[in-house]
Amino acid sequence: MRFLYYNIAYATGAPESHSHSLLTAHRYLRSSHRHFDRVRDFISEVAPDITGVVEVDNGSFRARRRNHVTELADSMSHHAVFSSKYHHGSLGRRLPILRHQGNAILSRDKAAHSQAHFLTFGFKRLVLESHVCGVRVFLVHLALRRETRIKQLRDLCRIVGNCGDEAILVAGDFNAYRGVHELHEFQEHTGLLSANRNAYPTFPTWAPTREIDFVLYSPGVRVSEFTVRHDVRLSDHLPMILDFELN
């Protein structure tokens, strides 16, 4: 099976440098159809069985009312599970644009079960869970502040629980600016391994120096191949592809 993880940055495109990112900040208020179409075409070409998409827009005026979740799913004839990344009652649920921001799991088979968990700490708290294709997939986007991330990872431990031999994937933008070292306690408690064994950087696309995106897997998953696509620059993050079998 093939799992694709990608932070698509709301299909706002890929800056060429830090300064270019600042000069083109208006793209977060109004994005181009072209950017999303290129993301959609790339994901379709990869032909994943399961896709975890972080920073996806489900129809704000920034996306010109296009529901990116639905369009991605329809382009592959896949099923979609989506949730806002902000917890119920939060300001993010009420503000324009923000209330359309979330994460999604797409899959060729319909999910046997799905659930939106919300962490105790942070502004964006979503942990999206989907049981699909024989795998429990958890998709996350953690906080920028390290102190908050530490608390969120402890929360995430309780949600993921004791993996045992069950097939589990935990993927997302962990914002771990110190790299995999920030995840050691989480990995010790869950028994999850990082598919990115060589610690290839995933951010930013114009000069990748930081490993902040991760795909973690349980002993129930046997990895065939893992790739960070450094040739794909459609966002400020690089996409990650995991080919695997179930033990």
Side-chain angles (χ1 to χ4, degrees):
M1 283 194 293
R2 172 164 287 182
F3 174 73
L4 167 67
Y5 161 75
Y6 201 4
N7 180 331
I8 68 170
Y10 306 112
T12 56
E16 299 173 2
S17 64
H18 285 292
S19 58
H20 185 245
S21 180
L22 293 174
L23 290 171
T24 59
H26 59 275
R27 70 189 188 279
Y28 286 104
L29 296 176
R30 198 72 167 170
S31 61
S32 163
H33 286 310
R34 180 173 54 87
H35 291 315
F36 172 71
D37 291 344
R38 293 175 66 196
V39 170
R40 180 199 58 208
D41 292 346
F42 163 71
I43 292 176
S44 295
E45 287 168 10
V46 171
D49 298 288
I50 310 170
T51 308
V53 188
V54 165
E55 292 195 355
V56 63
D57 191 312
N58 79 332
S60 74
F61 65 79
R62 170 183 55 206
R64 302 170 192 267
R65 304 302 180 187
R66 292 176 71 179
N67 187 324
H68 292 168
V69 180
T70 301
E71 291 195 33
L72 286 173
D74 288 349
S75 70
M76 299 183 288
S77 298
H78 279 200
H79 302 273
V81 176
F82 169 85
S83 176
S84 167
K85 63 176 60 181
Y86 309 110
H87 63 285
H88 298 288
S90 111
L91 184 62
R93 289 266 182 164
R94 300 192 296 272
L95 292 177
I97 294 186
L98 290 187
R99 66 187 181 196
H100 292 279
Q101 296 185 164
N103 304 329
I105 298 174
L106 315 174
S107 55
R108 59 174 169 79
D109 296 339
K110 189 174 182 180
H113 170 75
S114 61
Q115 184 175 354
H117 306 272
F118 289 96
L119 303 169
T120 309
F121 305 95
F123 184 52
K124 48 181 184 284
R125 302 184 183 183
L126 175 66
V127 178
L128 188 60
E129 177 184 1
S130 182
H131 294 216
V132 64
C133 302
V135 188
R136 288 175 66 194
V137 181
F138 296 88
L139 189 64
V140 306
H141 190 183
L142 301 187
L144 290 170
R145 293 185 67 247
R146 185 168 182 268
E147 295 79 6
T148 306
R149 286 198 304 276
I150 291 171
K151 295 175 182 178
Q152 288 182 330
L153 283 168
R154 289 171 182 163
D155 255 4
L156 187 58
C157 272
R158 291 190 286 273
I159 293 171
V160 174
N162 184 7
C163 301
D165 293 329
E166 190 174 4
I168 291 179
L169 295 176
V170 180
D173 180 352
F174 284 73
N175 277 315
Y177 285 91
R178 299 187 182 186
V180 71
H181 305 290
E182 288 194 24
L183 275 62
H184 281 170
E185 181 181 337
F186 175 73
Q187 289 183 268
E188 286 178 3
H189 281 85
T190 60
L192 297 174
L193 303 172
S194 174
N196 190 0
R197 295 176 183 175
N198 294 314
Y200 294 123
T202 62
F203 178 86
T205 51
W206 57 85
T209 54
R210 297 183 184 275
E211 182 190 10
I212 68 174
D213 301 277
F214 291 89
V215 176
L216 307 174
Y217 65 95
S218 71
V221 173
R222 184 168 65 254
V223 174
S224 304
E225 187 175 358
F226 174 80
T227 309
V228 176
R229 290 289 301 270
H230 288 88
D231 59 317
V232 178
R233 299 186 176 185
L234 303 176
S235 160
D236 53 353
H237 292 249
L238 297 172
M240 308 166 82
I241 301 172
L242 175 72
D243 291 317
F244 68 97
E245 297 175 358
L246 300 181
N247 288 329

